[in-house]
Structure formats: structure tokens, C-alpha cells
Amino acid sequence: CFEGAEKVLEWFGVEHGHHEEEGARDEKKLVFGAIRTDLILSTEIMLIALAGLDPDLGLWPTLGALIVIGLVMTAVVYGAVALLVKVDDIGLQMMKNSVRRTRRIGARIVRAMPMVFRVISVIGTVAMLWVGGHLVIANLAETIWHGPYDLLHVIEHALEAAGPVVVWIADTAVSAVAGL
């Protein structure tokens, strides 16, 4: 939730912390931020997976299932990230091709990548807030305060007639606001 809220504040021009030198430190900062975000996302995925497993499964089968889920999610997420990072390189290579159509496609790919990354950034931020907010709401209900959880269910019940997609969107929006 903190990561997502911090990103939303940046969208609205609210700066936090101190400014560092540009250049090499900036790249280190970006890498550290990406690693921190990935660790948070991995923790959330593992918590969601753990909540979905049968509590009577036992320690070793539960641990084995979490290891398999962790490995598969890591391969999928990092594979997708690696592909996205290399797409612009592929576009650059295509721009050097002797066939005009291939060069144009490569140029379009290179031009499109900044927008693709902006869209992915927004989707990732909303997902962080949604998942984190839902975890906060659910865990508060299990421990000390049912208010947000009860409100979520009142909203869901009120929207049931509109269909499951509308209910899901409302659940996602309420969870994202709670995460923010």
C-alpha cells in the first residue's frame, strides 16, 4: 500500500525524500525500487496463496505448494519483464533491416514502448493498492475492526443486481481506496 500511495503522490507532483545526483545513482535507485516492489509483490502473492491453501494440509505440503507457486510466479513475472525490456531492443534491430516495412514496424515498436511502460506502471500501481488494500481490509476484519470489511460487503450486496463484473470493479475500487 505504501509503494502504491507513494506512486500516486508522485503522479500529483508531491515529492518525498531528498533529491540525489542524477546518473549512476539514479539507476541504482531505480533498481533498488524495482527490487523492493518485487519483494512486496512476492510477499502479497505468497500470502494470497497461503490463504487459498487448505489449513489441514500440513507443514511440508504447504511449504512445497508455496515453493512451486513462488517459482512459477517468479518465472512468469520476470519472464514478462525480461521480454518487455528487450522489446525495444528488438524494435531497434528491426529498424536496421533493409526491408522498409520491417524498419517501420521497428520504429513503431520503439515509439510505442514509453506509452506501454506508462500504462503498465498505472496498472501495477492500481494492482498494488487493490491487493494491499484487500489484504488490509480482510486482516483488519480477522483481528480488530470489521468496519471496512462490512462496508465492502454492503457495497457488493447493493450492486449484485448489476452483475458480477460491476461487483468486482466495486470491490477492486474500494480495496484500492483502502490501500491508498
Side-chain angles (χ1 to χ4, degrees):
C1 293
F2 178 80
E3 286 286 321
E6 191 174 58
K7 190 72 168 170
V8 170
L9 287 174
E10 286 177 7
W11 291 343
F12 290 101
V14 177
E15 294 293 324
H16 60 280
H18 54 83
H19 296 286
E20 295 181 13
E21 290 180 31
E22 298 295 324
R25 287 187 178 189
D26 194 42
E27 185 173 332
K28 288 180 183 178
K29 181 181 171 188
L30 287 172
V31 169
F32 177 74
I35 291 170
R36 183 177 62 194
T37 301
D38 289 345
L39 287 173
I40 291 167
L41 178 61
S42 298
T43 302
E44 289 172 345
I45 290 168
M46 297 310 278
L47 288 171
I48 291 167
L50 184 60
L53 292 175
D54 183 1
D56 297 328
L57 200 55
L59 176 66
W60 294 111
T62 299
L63 185 61
L66 289 176
I67 289 170
V68 168
I69 291 166
L71 291 173
V72 169
M73 289 306 298
T74 299
V76 169
V77 169
Y78 286 108
V81 168
L83 179 63
L84 283 168
V85 167
K86 289 297 180 186
V87 166
D88 60 345
D89 292 340
I90 293 168
L92 285 172
Q93 284 299 109
M94 291 173 72
M95 289 171 65
K96 297 175 183 175
N97 195 299
S98 61
V99 179
R100 183 173 183 229
R101 184 175 183 189
T102 303
R103 286 194 314 263
R104 284 194 320 220
I105 292 171
R108 286 183 184 137
I109 290 170
V110 170
R111 280 194 313 265
M113 289 315 294
M115 179 57 78
V116 168
F117 282 117
R118 280 193 291 274
V119 168
I120 289 171
S121 175
V122 170
I123 291 169
T125 300
V126 170
M128 278 193 287
L129 291 171
W130 164 39
V131 172
H134 190 77
L135 288 171
V136 168
I137 290 171
N139 286 309
L140 278 174
E142 289 182 19
T143 55
I144 59 172
W145 187 32
H146 285 268
Y149 187 79
D150 294 340
L151 175 65
L152 182 60
H153 283 286
V154 166
I155 293 169
E156 288 174 346
H157 184 66
L159 295 173
E160 278 179 356
V165 172
V166 173
V167 171
W168 180 82
I169 290 170
D171 179 282
T172 300
V174 169
S175 294
V177 169
L180 184 62

